[in-house]
Amino acid sequence: MPVVARIEKDWTIQPDAEAMLRAALKAWLASVPPAGAFARRLLEGCGVRLRDLLDHVSYEQADAHIEALCSVGWKVRSPGVHAHDEGYFPELVQRPGPMTVWFRVESVEAFLAAHAITAPIEGVAHGPWRRAVAFTGAGIRFGAIERRGHHGFDAPDVTPLKVRNARLHLQAFRSRRRHFDTVEQGLAHTEALVDAAVADLGQHWACDIWLTAERDYWMMRCSAGRFQKARQDRLGIGWSNIDHHTYDGSRQHFRHTVRILEKLGYQLREMLYAGELAGWGSQILEQPSLKSTIFADVDLAPHEVHIDFAHEELPELGKHRRAGVLSALHGESILEAGLNHVAALFDQRLLRDQLGADGIRMMSPFSDFPHLYQELTLGDWAPVEPSRVDALERAGHIDAAEAERIRLNGAIISHLENIERNDGFKGFNKPGIDGVLRKLDPRAYARDAGGNGS
């Protein structure tokens, strides 16, 4: 597996591009009243903005809005395709036929059923790409598109055998064994499953079904995730608004975790370092075809921010920090612990109010800017095997009082993240992550049996 150099990208806001996109979307929605009604239901029903689901806009003849977008940052990526690579924006695709605004859903069939729409579906059932026109107006349409690893704009050729293999590999990922006598055995088993899926399906399709299974396991441990997923399912969009997934790993096994993710097509993007006091860092990885982002968190010493810590061996530190303690208590995120949190895009105020009305509370925000807002639910707890706590106490990673509280109360394990992006901003708030993740250290959480880390 070739090592991909980390790209230290400083993302910037793109206010002109965002303003043009919002003006275009407003005009297009006004031309298709049923689509406008759907956009309002999304906000009212689950706090999701249609703008955050936009996949691409196809057109045969550019209207004034398309021309305006091409003047503020959308550039030719390939014949007939304009993209804005400096932020979070949909592509513009020249194709025969009526102008169509395509928005992402997790399942086209589920979307059509949720809105009692009868429409032909392009693409093979359970395949990597499906779509259907949902709402039609004067010279413009809105359509739902389901992507499972295919980033193209036309239906791919898929054999029935490949579809069958995809369904089998999805079940293998969903039912995979996560508890082993050693972490090495678990990672080797997981890597073998990934190798088999990639061999049969290619990286992109295999990656999509991997993420589906990972979210399913996370939802078993995250009550807010289950609650919000049900709300989004009622509107037919499923988890089509995901921003990123987060894994915690031990220093000893971090390289192996990254290797598995790279086999699924992830590439190193920028890194974040929470600071010497927090002792934590994250390698951000991106799967370019899926446009999927992963935070891979690990304990880091200050000098290690200058090395390729995703691929180099990391010797044990004298004392575990947040990611190390979590991995010791619950296991590696890629194994028995599961994803630490899943971040999805929302109108942050609406989501907070809606979840709050149902008793789901949030921590204090760790990013609160016009272009980026981030906050976590208080989270779910899980019991911890006492022998794991004993081992941490003996090694001096936790003190006696912390150990006893964790034995009695368990430790925090999962969250849902409420994230709002504006002005096309694709980056993260590096300083803010320090504060929130120090709060999420199980030792800090354990000091308050109520779990209020805010």
Side-chain angles (χ1 to χ4, degrees), residues 118-138:
T118 301
I121 300 176
E122 296 179 68
V124 178
H126 306 289
W129 183 97
R130 303 191 89 195
R131 71 180 186 184
V133 174
F135 311 111
T136 302

Side-chain angles (χ1 to χ4, degrees), residues 107-126:
S107 165
V108 169
E109 285 181 321
F111 175 81
L112 296 179
H115 297 277
I117 296 171
T118 301
I121 300 176
E122 296 179 68
V124 178
H126 306 289

Side-chain angles (χ1 to χ4, degrees), residues 210-223:
W210 165 270
L211 293 174
T212 297
E214 292 294 274
R215 286 192 298 270
D216 287 348
Y217 186 74
W218 164 76
M219 281 190 289
M220 289 166 42
R221 292 164 172 253
C222 183
S223 56

Side-chain angles (χ1 to χ4, degrees), residues 125-175:
H126 306 289
W129 183 97
R130 303 191 89 195
R131 71 180 186 184
V133 174
F135 311 111
T136 302
I140 189 168
R141 311 180 302 182
F142 280 75
I145 186 166
E146 168 189 337
R147 293 190 182 276
R148 299 189 180 277
H150 178 65
H151 182 59
F153 305 103
D154 300 294
D157 292 328
V158 182
T159 65
L161 176 60
K162 206 158 196 175
V163 171
R164 179 179 184 274
N165 285 340
R167 299 182 73 182
L168 290 174
H169 286 297
L170 174 59
Q171 292 308 315
F173 285 155
R174 278 175 164 160
S175 62

Side-chain angles (χ1 to χ4, degrees), residues 227-228 231 351-360 362 416:
F227 181 81
Q228 181 62 19
R231 283 161 33 95
L351 183 78
R352 185 169 55 260
D353 291 346
Q354 291 169 0
L355 294 186
D358 284 283
I360 298 174
M362 295 287 186
L416 171 68

Side-chain angles (χ1 to χ4, degrees), residues 129-341:
W129 183 97
R130 303 191 89 195
R131 71 180 186 184
V133 174
F135 311 111
T136 302
I140 189 168
R141 311 180 302 182
F142 280 75
I145 186 166
E146 168 189 337
R147 293 190 182 276
R148 299 189 180 277
H150 178 65
H151 182 59
F153 305 103
D154 300 294
D157 292 328
V158 182
T159 65
L161 176 60
K162 206 158 196 175
V163 171
R164 179 179 184 274
N165 285 340
R167 299 182 73 182
L168 290 174
H169 286 297
L170 174 59
Q171 292 308 315
F173 285 155
R174 278 175 164 160
S175 62
R176 72 180 170 98
R177 181 181 170 190
R178 290 176 179 261
H179 296 264
F180 291 82
D181 292 336
T182 68
V183 174
E184 290 84 356
Q185 291 173 338
L187 292 174
H189 173 74
T190 301
E191 188 171 10
L193 292 178
V194 167
D195 285 341
V198 170
D200 283 345
L201 306 173
Q203 285 183 324
H204 307 319
W205 199 351
C207 185
D208 180 85
I209 63 174
W210 165 270
L211 293 174
T212 297
E214 292 294 274
R215 286 192 298 270
D216 287 348
Y217 186 74
W218 164 76
M219 281 190 289
M220 289 166 42
R221 292 164 172 253
C222 183
S223 56
R226 292 193 300 274
F227 181 81
Q228 181 62 19
K229 175 63 157 54
R231 283 161 33 95
Q232 295 183 192
D233 282 345
R234 284 194 288 273
L235 274 298
I237 64 169
W239 281 126
S240 59
N241 59 325
I242 296 295
D243 185 82
H244 62 271
H245 303 80
T246 300
Y247 287 90
D248 286 302
S250 66
R251 287 171 61 86
Q252 181 181 357
H253 301 290
F254 191 67
R255 284 191 305 167
H256 202 160
T257 294
V258 170
R259 186 170 81 213
I260 291 170
L261 296 175
E262 287 179 326
K263 287 188 171 187
L264 291 164
Y266 281 94
Q267 300 173 5
L268 303 193
R269 211 174 86 181
E270 67 266 32
M271 64 85 68
L272 298 179
Y273 182 53
E276 185 173 358
L277 184 60
W280 159 91
S282 180
Q283 176 61 64
I284 300 176
L285 302 101
E286 184 169 349
Q287 219 285 8
S289 182
L290 273 67
K291 299 183 179 179
S292 169
T293 304
I294 280 178
F295 269 64
D297 297 348
V298 68
D299 292 349
L300 280 183
H303 70 276
E304 290 170 334
V305 300
H306 303 297
I307 68 172
D308 183 5
F309 62 85
H311 297 107
E312 294 190 23
E313 183 176 357
L314 298 175
E316 287 301 312
L317 297 174
K319 189 170 184 178
H320 289 331
R321 314 296 176 82
R322 186 196 69 88
V325 171
L326 277 174
S327 298
L329 289 174
H330 293 306
E332 306 283 326
S333 278
I334 202 168
L335 293 176
E336 61 264 50
L339 294 162
N340 179 276
H341 63 270

